[in-house]
Amino acid sequence: MVFPALAVVGIFSLYPAMDSFLLSLHRIYLGLPSLGEPFIGLGNYTQLFQDPVAHQAFIVTLGFVILSTTFELLLGIGIALVIHEHFKGRGWVRAAVLIPWAIPTVVASQMWRFMLNDQYGLVNLMLFGDQVEAYVPWLADPWMAFGAIVLADVWKTSSFAGLLVLAGLQVIPDDVYDAARIDGATAWQRFWHITFPLLKPALLTALLFRTIDAFRVFDLVFVMTQGGPGDATQVIQFYGYKTLFTEGRVGYGTSISVTVFVAILILSLFYVRTVGSKLLEQERA
Amino acid sequence: MAGFTLTQLCKSFGHTMVLNEISLEASDGEFVVLLGPSGCGKSTLLRIIAGLEAQSSGSVNIGNRVVDSLPPRDRDIAMVFQQYALYPHLTVRENLAFGLKMRKESTAVIEKRIGDAAELLEIHELLDRKPKELSGGQRQRVAMGRAIVRKPKLFLFDEPLSNLDARLRASMRVELKKLHQRLGVTMVYVTHDQIEAMTLGEKIVVMDQGHILQIGTPDQIYHHPINPFVAAFIGNPPMNLIEGSVHLEGQYLEFHAGDFALRLETHAHIETAIHSDSAVLGIRPEDIKLDIPSEPHLTLSGFIDVVENLGGDHIVYLISQEQHLTARTTPNSRRRAEDPITAYVPLQKLHVFVNQVRIPLELYYH
Ligand SMILES: Nc1ncnc2c1ncn2[C@@H]1O[C@H](COP(=O)(O)OP(=O)(O)OP(=O)(O)O)[C@@H](O)[C@H]1O
Ligand SMILES: [Mg+2]
């Protein structure tokens, strides 16, 4: 019974990964087939580690990961605390909160691009009304553009983080809170001394999902900024895409993808090892 | 002084009335047991006393202070929950310290109180463990420890022993009694176990469907149950209850239930005749004697249905005049099913309820 599963994994994950890795060991220019496809060993990788554009892309990605994950977790906790309460219409609110998450990223990105448009964008209209001369070309400014992709990502995925946190909240028994109230804990103390520590496993799970996901960000950037202005929002995946598909440097582009893949693999293993073991330990409580 | 008084407490959740005009008084140091079937509102009442739930109307007074507008933290109470409700991420020591820390007690005081409680409950070696590393009985001790260290005026227990196995429950029951004797603090104890109620309570409050049916000492509740419900709820095996009609007139009491007929001559003279078709005759199993008693008695003849051997006791199920009766007697190996049997019930042990209310028959025999 294990064999079919192994076969599926082999065909659909292992083979493409191995093939990509092999590709990344060659120099391939799509536009110049006359150069052939010479094997250059780890040449693409040594080049990548010295490539200033790649460094810049890495820093942008890291900034994006840190900022978006932080905001998403904070907002997620807030959302979870609200929709955990009993109130009329809670079911509707829970459903509504999930809408941004349910919208495909490409659609959501396009929506944000329209909203931030410098001439007919909703954001400018709401801020400045008919003072057209005050309209801001948000996505033309490096910092604003970066802020915009973070904002779009936070808007879209906070509710998912919230859902994970909510699952964590729901396993905390009510009578623990009753006991804490009788023990004299104020609402803030109950959150800080009871909810927060007991929520740690859920928060770590959310953190894991969100960092890994944020690390792979591509479609937001592709739709909203194309990595611009300049290289201000060029995240690593987008850089890889660009080298591969617009510049046709198949070997080099693939080496970027493989590097991202390995980085995420290491990150996941790290989480599962350190955080994950603690997480499982806590859940057995 | 920390007795408490409940005045006409009512509680509704939406349109359902869960507590109805609950009034109750307890003196300082008294052990009060709230007893009733599942869903009768015991926990809700306890939570209202604790301040975890707000009453719809009525008032709670603890230690001569109206606490209706005070949150739980200011009521000077401690509560032990059915599921223990220990903080799962904290060690036993931290669990005990939690309430004291929230009240900003000094470290020295906290250490001292934890030491005292640990000694009292013999949980010293558990102090550095997490709740999940404890057995049910140990968790229960820790939960009590968490209540004790706070030195509250009033202890509230919500079925604290119901998750333990029978043997442990019995031993914890005794420990709880000792604890009460040692601390001398007022305690309110919720249970649906009549044995716990009888053994622990100084005052038993029998509840059903949000009403208080009877308040009394264990002996009063046992010997003078106010209605058939209370009579059947207390005692094991439960009291024999025979439904029929009754006629009281002059010096005579007549009871009929099908073929079962009973005519008693009472000492008192009843001026106004009482007649009811909704009467219940109650006989406790241990009041059915198989040897002729010296006092005035009622004689029942019939045959044995089943005999259960409990070791120290025999439970004899007998049928007399088509009525199934349960008797609790001393063992006798010669009894067999189908054997004829004659049983006797001392007259002053009979309970008669007319229209759901006890007729104080004992008055007629003393
Ligand atoms: N928060 C609530 N909302 C609505 N109804 C409730 C709520 N809490 C309790 N009830 C109802 O109130 C009634 C009394 O509940 P309560 O928990 O006080 O019973 P109990 O006597 O403690 O029962 P048990 O022995 O099973 O613990 C029940 O019918 C219950 O369904
Ligand atoms: Mg209850």
Side-chain angles (χ1 to χ4, degrees):
Chain A
M1 280 315 286
V2 179
F3 179 75
L6 279 182
V8 168
V9 170
I11 293 169
F12 291 102
S13 334
L14 228 46
Y15 171 70
M18 285 315 294
D19 201 45
S20 301
F21 182 64
L22 285 180
L23 266 182
S24 74
L25 301 179
H26 296 77
R27 177 179 299 131
I28 308 167
Y29 289 113
L30 272 190
L32 301 167
S34 58
L35 290 181
E37 303 183 354
F39 178 80
I40 53 164
L42 293 175
N44 282 325
Y45 291 94
T46 45
Q47 192 189 339
L48 178 63
F49 285 112
Q50 288 156 8
D51 179 354
V53 184
H55 292 170
Q56 152 87 3
F58 181 71
I59 289 170
V60 170
T61 310
L62 205 63
F64 177 80
V65 169
I66 293 172
L67 275 180
S68 62
T69 318
T70 307
F71 282 119
E72 279 157 18
L73 282 190
L74 289 179
L75 264 172
I77 294 174
I79 290 171
L81 287 175
V82 169
I83 60 181
H84 184 54
E85 288 298 313
H86 294 267
F87 54 86
K88 254 191 195 159
R90 180 174 70 166
W92 290 103
V93 174
R94 282 187 177 185
V97 158
L98 278 177
I99 288 176
W101 185 61
I103 296 176
T105 314
V106 177
V107 176
S109 319
Q110 191 60 262
M111 188 184 84
W112 277 100
R113 199 172 76 137
F114 284 143
M115 294 209 315
L116 293 169
N117 186 283
D118 56 344
Q119 287 162 37
Y120 49 80
L122 187 66
V123 175
N124 275 322
L125 182 71
M126 299 227 303
L127 285 179
F128 307 110
D130 50 8
Q131 292 170 272
V132 184
E133 65 285 354
Y135 277 20
V136 179
W138 303 101
L139 296 177
D141 176 90
W143 287 109
M144 300 267 211
F146 179 72
I149 59 166
V150 171
L151 174 70
D153 197 60
V154 169
W155 174 81
K156 185 163 160 38
T157 39
S158 290
S159 56
F160 174 66
L163 210 61
L164 292 176
V165 177
L166 178 67
L169 278 180
Q170 281 170 336
V171 301
I172 306 177
D174 285 343
D175 57 4
V176 170
Y177 288 107
D178 288 340
R181 281 172 70 193
I182 288 187
D183 264 345
T186 59
W188 168 249
Q189 286 171 324
R190 289 200 294 276
F191 175 76
W192 189 243
H193 294 292
I194 309 285
T195 311
F196 189 68
L198 289 177
L199 216 48
K200 247 186 222 157
L203 286 176
L204 292 174
T205 313
L207 185 71
L208 184 138
F209 276 114
R210 287 315 310 144
T211 25
I212 288 175
D213 225 28
F215 210 90
R216 299 181 309 172
V217 62
F218 171 76
D219 29 15
L220 267 179
V221 173
F222 180 83
V223 175
M224 283 177 68
T225 63
Q226 286 282 319
D231 285 342
T233 59
Q234 175 155 281
V235 291
I236 192 85
Q237 285 282 66
F238 188 76
Y239 181 49
Y241 156 82
K242 224 168 63 177
T243 38
L244 218 162
F245 291 99
T246 49
E247 295 171 14
R249 296 155 71 194
V250 177
Y252 191 57
T254 313
S255 76
I256 296 176
S257 299
V258 171
T259 308
V260 171
F261 172 75
V262 171
I264 288 175
L265 194 67
I266 292 172
L267 195 66
S268 314
L269 288 179
F270 169 75
Y271 274 136
V272 170
R273 270 288 166 79
T274 63
V275 172
S277 61
K278 271 187 215 142
L279 194 149
L280 291 179
E281 199 179 290
Q282 284 232 343
E283 273 178 359
R284 250 180 266 129
Chain B
M1 290 315 274
F4 66 89
T5 310
L6 311 179
T7 319
Q8 298 191 316
L9 283 179
C10 296
K11 175 70 182 175
S12 322
F13 289 110
H15 292 296
T16 36
M17 192 90 166
V18 184
L19 292 177
N20 206 326
E21 302 259 326
I22 301 288
S23 294
L24 176 62
E25 220 168 303
S27 52
D28 187 29
E30 198 165 23
F31 199 120
V32 180
V33 172
L34 303 181
L35 175 69
S38 188
C40 72
K42 308 179 295 290
S43 296
T44 307
L45 181 55
L46 204 66
R47 292 171 61 81
I48 289 175
I49 299 175
L52 292 171
E53 201 90 60
Q55 65 267 38
S56 307
S57 65
S59 175
V60 179
N61 181 317
I62 301 175
N64 290 327
R65 190 169 61 128
V66 176
V67 296
D68 295 333
S69 55
L70 297 181
R73 55 177 289 149
D74 298 326
R75 293 193 179 196
D76 214 352
I77 47 152
M79 186 159 169
V80 177
F81 297 83
Q82 183 173 359
Q83 316 283 347
Y84 320 124
L86 298 175
Y87 308 120
H89 56 300
L90 302 180
T91 63
V92 169
R93 185 190 303 278
E94 291 164 334
N95 263 281
L96 297 185
F98 190 83
L100 299 171
K101 278 193 184 146
M102 293 301 119
R103 283 156 209 277
K104 306 234 163 26
E105 295 282 1
S106 71
T107 321
V109 171
I110 295 179
E111 283 304 313
K112 169 102 178 56
R113 298 258 189 102
I114 291 179
D116 291 349
E119 189 164 330
L120 190 65
L121 297 166
E122 294 166 20
I123 51 173
H124 260 300
E125 64 283 16
L126 308 179
L127 284 178
D128 294 314
R129 296 205 204 158
K130 291 271 183 72
K132 67 180 168 194
E133 297 158 351
L134 303 177
S135 71
Q138 289 170 332
R139 284 178 207 188
Q140 194 50 65
R141 270 166 213 272
V142 175
M144 291 199 189
R146 186 171 62 179
I148 290 172
V149 292
R150 294 252 322 280
K151 300 206 180 218
K153 277 194 209 151
L154 178 62
F155 278 94
L156 306 172
F157 296 94
D158 193 354
E159 310 207 25
L161 306 185
S162 61
N163 281 351
L164 306 179
D165 63 56
R167 185 192 294 246
L168 199 53
R169 209 179 310 157
S171 69
M172 287 298 283
R173 211 164 59 209
V174 177
E175 288 194 31
L176 206 72
K177 186 146 191 157
K178 280 194 212 156
L179 192 70
H180 177 244
Q181 284 164 1
R182 242 193 264 187
L183 299 176
V185 183
T186 320
M187 296 186 171
V188 185
Y189 186 101
V190 163
T191 183
H192 57 244
D193 181 326
Q194 49 104 11
I195 298 179
E196 280 176 24
M198 291 295 293
T199 52
L200 288 172
E202 293 170 336
K203 176 180 277 179
I204 297 180
V205 180
V206 185
M207 295 177 61
D208 186 36
Q209 298 184 2
H211 292 268
I212 290 183
L213 299 183
Q214 188 170 5
I215 301 176
T217 64
D219 278 341
Q220 286 168 344
I221 302 271
Y222 191 82
H223 295 296
H224 308 293
I226 199 165
N227 65 21
F229 180 90
V230 177
F233 204 77
I234 301 262
N236 189 26
M239 185 188 275
N240 297 291
L241 294 175
I242 304 167
E243 292 180 23
S245 61
V246 77
H247 187 74
L248 270 161
E249 188 168 8
Q251 286 195 285
Y252 290 95
L253 179 152
E254 278 172 51
F255 179 86
H256 288 276
D259 287 349
F260 188 95
L262 170 68
R263 186 181 158 90
L264 299 175
E265 194 175 344
T266 66
H267 289 182
H269 186 84
I270 293 163
E271 299 295 336
T272 23
I274 300 176
H275 183 85
S276 170
D277 287 331
S278 150
V280 177
L281 178 71
I283 309 170
R284 291 230 177 260
E286 60 272 31
D287 292 334
I288 300 184
K289 314 284 185 198
L290 299 184
D291 302 315
I292 298 187
S294 51
E295 63 260 65
H297 58 265
L298 159 76
T299 305
L300 301 166
S301 49
F303 60 94
I304 297 178
D305 193 13
V306 180
V307 178
E308 270 182 352
N309 184 352
L310 301 185
D313 280 334
H314 274 185
I315 307 295
V316 179
Y317 296 88
L318 56 103
I319 300 176
S320 170
Q321 297 165 58
E322 306 211 319
Q323 292 296 331
H324 290 252
L325 299 170
T326 310
R328 184 200 200 62
T329 68
T330 46
N332 180 337
S333 56
R334 278 170 298 150
R335 284 179 209 125
R336 298 254 183 283
E338 318 267 325
D339 283 356
I341 192 169
T342 310
Y344 312 91
V345 185
L347 292 187
Q348 73 262 46
K349 301 285 189 182
L350 290 174
H351 303 262
V352 176
F353 305 95
V354 175
N355 299 330
Q356 297 292 308
V357 178
R358 176 187 188 80
I359 298 288
L361 266 192
E362 56 272 13
L363 295 184
Y364 303 127
Y365 289 107
H366 288 287

